[in-house]
Amino acid sequence: MASGADVTLGALLLTEYERLKDEQRSRIAFRDNLVYAMLASAAAVLAAALRSDFEAGFLLLLPPVAILLGWTHLINDQKISAIGQYIRDTLAPRLAAAAGAGDEVFGWESAHRGDARRVWRKRMQLAADLIAFVLTPAAAILTFLLSGPLNAMLVVVVVLEAAVTAVLGVQIVLYADLAC
């Protein structure tokens, strides 16, 4: 192990970069798997409802699952973006200065954001996120409401689930990062 005198600012910044990229990769993999978990959850709830001669009450299980998975997806997505922004805006300039480099370091961190189709892809991702985590539970709620008689307790549950699902939808849109 090197002594404290052997550690340079550049080496520390490179180590920080490597750790941040490791965290970013881990969060990306976890975030992307949440979509598959949502699809599996929706299929499981639908299968349970169909196996029970379409007991619509099973559909009320989907919104809480979607909310938990969607919120976790949103938070991980936000942290992934925050890491990228920190690398672009703080870490890269500090490393360039420490290295005496006039050029930008970690150019890919900025270059990929300049793709002409980035905004379109981000909009499509926003649509996919809204379908998976908002439209799917909203459809379950609507199907439940249209399935037959309701009691007061179930109406309260439905209203709460719909409200929290709507809040999640708003947050997904607000954090969509559609800027170039």
Side-chain angles (χ1 to χ4, degrees), residues 81 83-93 109-110 112-113:
S81 295
I83 289 169
Q85 183 176 0
Y86 174 78
I87 290 170
R88 285 188 307 278
D89 298 347
T90 303
L91 192 57
E109 298 291 339
S110 297
H112 74 93
R113 294 177 63 84

Side-chain angles (χ1 to χ4, degrees), residues 61-98:
L61 297 173
L62 191 55
V65 171
I67 291 162
L68 291 172
L69 293 173
W71 186 255
T72 306
H73 183 277
L74 174 67
I75 294 303
N76 273 280
D77 193 56
Q78 188 277 326
K79 294 299 181 202
I80 291 162
S81 295
I83 289 169
Q85 183 176 0
Y86 174 78
I87 290 170
R88 285 188 307 278
D89 298 347
T90 303
L91 192 57
R94 288 183 65 204
L95 185 58

